[in-house]
Amino acid sequence: MKALVKAAPGAGLQLLEVPEPTVGPTDVKIRVLRTGLCGTDLHIEAWDDWAKASIDPPLVVGHEFAGEVVEVGPSVTAVSVGDLVSGEGHLVCGRCRNCRAGRRHLCIRTVGLGVQRDGAFAQFLTLPESNVWVHGRGDIDLDVAAIFDPFGNAVHTAMAFEVFGEDVLITGAGPIGIMAAAVVRHAGARHVVITDVSEYRLRLAEKVGVSLALDVSTTPIERAQAMLGMREGFDVGLEMSGQPSALREMIANMTHGGRIAMLGLPSTEIAVDWNKVVTHMLTIKGIYGREMFETWYRMSVLLERGLDLSPVITGRYGYTQYAEAFAEARSGNCGKIVLDWTRETI
């Protein structure tokens, strides 16, 4: 089969012929139809410091996908050949304290699809049945099904705190930030403000119905409060950028008792005004991945109830056009990029 492989240390990926994966007793074999490009894939392709410390080539990369089940192991009971599926890319041990308590997203031995084991940028993929999500709706868009992984990050972050009737600040208008904005708007938030310095992504965020898309290189967040008639600060903050200045500005603009969910991964340590965190009784909660599988249920229900993610997907390529797809993703002037594994070119 064809697969995108980090064949050896160094920048770049190669489209190679590799053996098809075999099916174990509890495994599901999936014919990959679509995959989404993630920031993790960009790190691996570029072979930056994180990739050097995390990746052991050769490795088939990729973890965002949708596909059709073509074979199941003899012990598989709830997934059938022909099912349209996506997959949870965090494979957990099932034995640690958190796994036994039903908190599998907190497993201390998590293995990442496309990071510590061969991934989804290939014509076929195997996963344990316990990691497979069957899409119940026959009419789900394949491109949307392919980005359930990052959509799950957005939903997990957006639903960390009650948002109905609240004023929500989102720092970082990347694809996950924009999806989170769509979710909190759909869930009944009053004002939804999203910030970035990319004009392209701010305009993209406007398509999902934010109250205000703010360029913080020219307009401070404090000004956004005045523009919207707010008096006491934001109730909920979703930090998606990993930028130190974004977290500091978020803290400065929260109401007393405000709650912050933090998904963005900073590349450096962040100096925080802890006096304000304490005296304003702010809550800061770290978010990683998706809750297994409550977040997945919520994703499916949101789509069933009319949430539209189509504006977030801005680029579509055949699998042999991966270099062009990665170049567009790296440019920043895009939303989510999808590779079609049923077509060489589009």
Side-chain angles (χ1 to χ4, degrees):
M1 69 174 183
K2 297 292 187 182
L4 266 182
V5 181
K6 173 64 73 174
L13 297 171
Q14 294 176 267
L15 186 63
L16 301 176
E17 192 75 31
V18 301
E20 290 187 19
T22 57
V23 178
T26 60
D27 288 342
V28 172
K29 185 175 181 179
I30 300 158
R31 180 168 69 92
V32 177
L33 302 175
R34 303 283 193 279
T35 56
L37 266 64
C38 173
T40 299
D41 305 318
L42 298 182
H43 287 297
I44 296 172
E45 192 270 344
W47 199 243
D48 61 12
D49 290 340
W50 175 86
K52 292 173 186 175
S54 306
I55 305 301
D56 185 18
L59 177 78
V60 177
V61 300
H63 57 275
E64 301 176 9
F65 76 92
E68 179 186 3
V69 176
V70 295
E71 184 181 350
V72 299
S75 298
V76 171
T77 60
V79 180
S80 302
V81 171
D83 283 343
L84 176 64
V85 300
S86 296
E88 169 57 59
H90 291 166
L91 287 79
V92 301
C93 73
R95 303 182 304 278
C96 69
R97 177 180 177 181
N98 280 318
C99 281
R100 287 176 179 267
R103 299 185 295 264
R104 288 181 284 176
H105 62 293
L106 298 176
C107 174
I108 63 172
R109 301 185 186 93
T110 300
V111 171
L113 182 69
V115 178
Q116 283 94 30
R117 61 165 279 173
D118 282 339
F121 286 178
Q123 291 176 314
F124 293 95
L125 163 73
T126 58
L127 272 182
E129 178 188 18
S130 58
N131 280 70
V132 173
W133 180 261
V134 178
H135 293 288
R137 294 173 56 205
D139 61 344
I140 187 170
D141 184 276
L142 285 176
D143 293 344
V144 171
I147 62 170
F148 254 52
D149 178 294
F151 180 34
N153 292 339
V155 172
H156 189 186
T157 311
M159 298 288 97
F161 302 110
E162 177 61 60
V163 296
F164 181 79
E166 303 285 54
D167 296 328
V168 180
L169 172 64
I170 303 171
T171 47
I176 296 177
I178 294 172
M179 286 190 281
V183 170
V184 297
R185 173 61 82 192
H186 194 80
R190 183 176 73 150
H191 295 311
V192 181
V193 175
I194 193 166
T195 70
D196 209 287
V197 295
S198 165
E199 184 71 17
Y200 179 94
R201 286 186 163 170
L202 291 170
R203 301 292 78 80
L204 194 61
E206 289 175 342
K207 295 182 180 180
V208 303
V210 298
S211 309
L212 185 62
L214 193 71
D215 184 344
V216 286
S217 69
T218 59
T219 308
I221 294 173
E222 184 179 13
R223 175 62 184 151
Q225 291 193 53
M227 294 166 68
L228 294 171
M230 295 172 54
R231 298 180 179 180
E232 298 186 5
F234 290 92
D235 305 293
V236 176
L238 310 179
E239 206 307 285
M240 317 297 258
S241 70
Q243 293 297 319
S245 59
L247 180 61
R248 287 193 288 266
E249 283 297 299
M250 177 172 282
I251 289 171
N253 283 276
M254 300 300 292
T255 190
H256 287 229
R259 296 143 292 159
I260 295 172
M262 187 172 176
L263 180 75
L265 282 172
S267 58
T268 60
E269 292 185 2
I270 299 178
V272 169
D273 184 354
W274 290 107
N275 286 326
K276 181 158 288 188
V277 173
V278 172
T279 60
H280 289 195
M281 292 187 66
L282 302 182
T283 298
I284 302 177
K285 180 179 181 179
I287 302 292
Y288 181 64
R290 299 143 299 278
E291 291 185 330
M292 302 174 206
F293 274 84
E294 181 63 19
T295 302
W296 292 77
Y297 280 105
R298 289 181 169 186
M299 286 189 272
S300 293
V301 170
L302 284 164
L303 293 177
E304 289 171 8
R305 300 307 299 166
L307 182 70
D308 182 14
L309 294 183
S310 60
V312 181
I313 302 170
T314 60
R316 296 168 175 84
Y317 294 87
Y319 69 88
T320 65
Q321 299 170 299
Y322 67 91
E324 300 164 57
F326 272 76
E328 182 174 346
R330 199 175 295 284
S331 75
N333 287 325
C334 62
K336 287 298 294 184
I337 306 297
V338 172
L339 287 175
D340 186 336
W341 284 84
T342 69
R343 302 168 67 180
E344 292 190 2
T345 60
I346 294 178

